[in-house]
Amino acid sequence: MNFGIAQHSIALACTALSLTLFPVLAAPASAKTLVYCSEASPEGFDPALYSTNSTWDASSKPVYNRLVEFQNGTTNVLPGLAESWTISDDKLTYTFKLRNNVKFHTTEYFTPSRDLNADDVVFSLQRQLDKTSPWHTYITGITWEMTTAMGLPDMVKEISKVDDKTVKIVLSAPSASVLANLAMDFASILSKEYADHLQADGKMTQLNELPVGTGPYQFVNYQQDSVVRFAANPDYWDGRQKIDDLIFSITLDQTTRIQKLRAGECQVASYPSPADVAGLKADSELKVLEQPGLNVAYLAYNTLVPPFDKAEVRRALNMAINKQAIVDAVFQGMGQVAKNPLPPAGWGYNDAVNDDPYDPEKAKSMLQAAGVGNLAMKVWAMPVSRPYMPNARRAAELIQADFARVGVSVEIVSYEWGEYLKKARDKNRDGAVILGGTSDNGDPDNLLSFFFGCAGVGSSNYSNWCFQPLDSLLQKARIIPDQAERTKLYEEAQVIIKREAPIAALDHSTVVMPMSKKVSGYVLDPLGSHRFDGVDLAE
């Protein structure tokens, strides 16, 4: 699930890169440049280490490919680096046939001597599972969060090379979501040859700083917290892109992003304030794409810390939150109140679940009955805009006022985005954290296992809530092939989550993307990413 989990800040060596060291690759005299005003800095450029869309937007999407890919704008799985695959009768063995003549990027810092082969696939995936590999711990503090949350350590029995163009993946049990998982960002394919060179030179962390992939764009340079530059891959297996130079202009402030868009300093801008949407739609120079998001925002209690270890306390606090007021103030018509952690736009959603009523008086009496008085707590507010929560500070202020009405005092805290995510994972974290996510593959398991799986405690499970009946149910649903049967289990899971209340589900948003009318070919991604393959810009 993507929303944000940082483990490693990019080394200072990467920030020192300059255009004198890494000039933009040669392009035609009439080179087209597209500037995207992004909302946050990438945490690194090895996508398997992270779980934020802002990081994947600047790494896996432009630089890398996967064995299989999501068709742009859908959750349909299509061939990627694997041109075809077969599945054994027992649904345990997947055999992938790789494309011929797939080139890795030639950059200022690496020149490949061969095309993509099976060694690259095995290396890219196996390092995430093999704890004895030096690449398993090449960045301090790695947890391979997405890999773990998706259950791959238990799901995958073997990854092996059959021949240079054939890879075999053997599962421990059938999985209904394995192909969708392999289309996710953490399954991006890196160059083993490049990794071997870095290891021999004692520069392994460079794999996360100076990326080499097979994707539509290749990395040029990164100036920390300022700009990321890419150039069209001249040898891209699926055809050279029409945009020659792709630039991510990192602009944290929503208002500034829109100002840059209107001024023509960027052609696409992420996550506008809902208050700005009507004006953007009225601008004759702009167009605004819009669709319901496969997302959710929530307030996650730390269930390992009293009194939040008691479900009755968590339910009482949930009843104290006026979620409609948050949606009205923060989204201004571009969102809806959430009662489940799954979005209603996706399959598996349980509309029969009854939400907690907004009832401050009952919440107060429930806290008293639970022996909780004079409670003081922290509420964490994200420092960046996300599609599921454009203004976490405002939401935190409203929650602060709601909790005050039931006798609970709240201190609002925040940190720089990467630090926010790192500190929020601490099992001893003081306070409830505002976060959320957008589905990475459209499968209910993605969000539910990521948020609530026992394997994610201390990482992606920000409530640190391991409830074995739910965990067993999710593991069962993962291996059932029939979607109708899986739906029943996910509906049951949502009933359990509502009853035990490890989080307060806050909202689901409508996703909007404003851009210049000169931009064509851009498709809104239901999975929350920003892709620029296939995009063009009129003169």
Side-chain angles (χ1 to χ4, degrees), residues 127-141:
R127 69 194 177 116
Q128 303 179 43
L129 305 174
D130 181 6
K131 295 181 179 180
T132 67
S133 167
W135 289 101
H136 191 75
T137 54
Y138 88 102
I139 300 296
T140 303

Side-chain angles (χ1 to χ4, degrees), residues 156-208:
V156 177
K157 183 177 181 181
E158 177 189 355
I159 304 172
S160 62
K161 171 183 177 179
V162 177
D163 56 44
D164 274 354
K165 293 299 178 183
T166 311
V167 174
K168 182 172 66 175
I169 298 179
V170 181
L171 306 182
S172 301
S175 170
S177 58
V178 63
L179 286 175
N181 287 344
L182 289 173
M184 290 167 58
D185 302 77
F186 74 89
S188 295
I189 304 304
L190 285 63
S191 167
K192 183 179 187 298
E193 182 185 21
Y194 179 48
D196 288 344
H197 277 284
L198 295 178
Q199 186 173 0
D201 292 342
K203 299 178 179 179
M204 292 173 69
T205 58
Q206 188 170 304
L207 191 71
N208 191 37

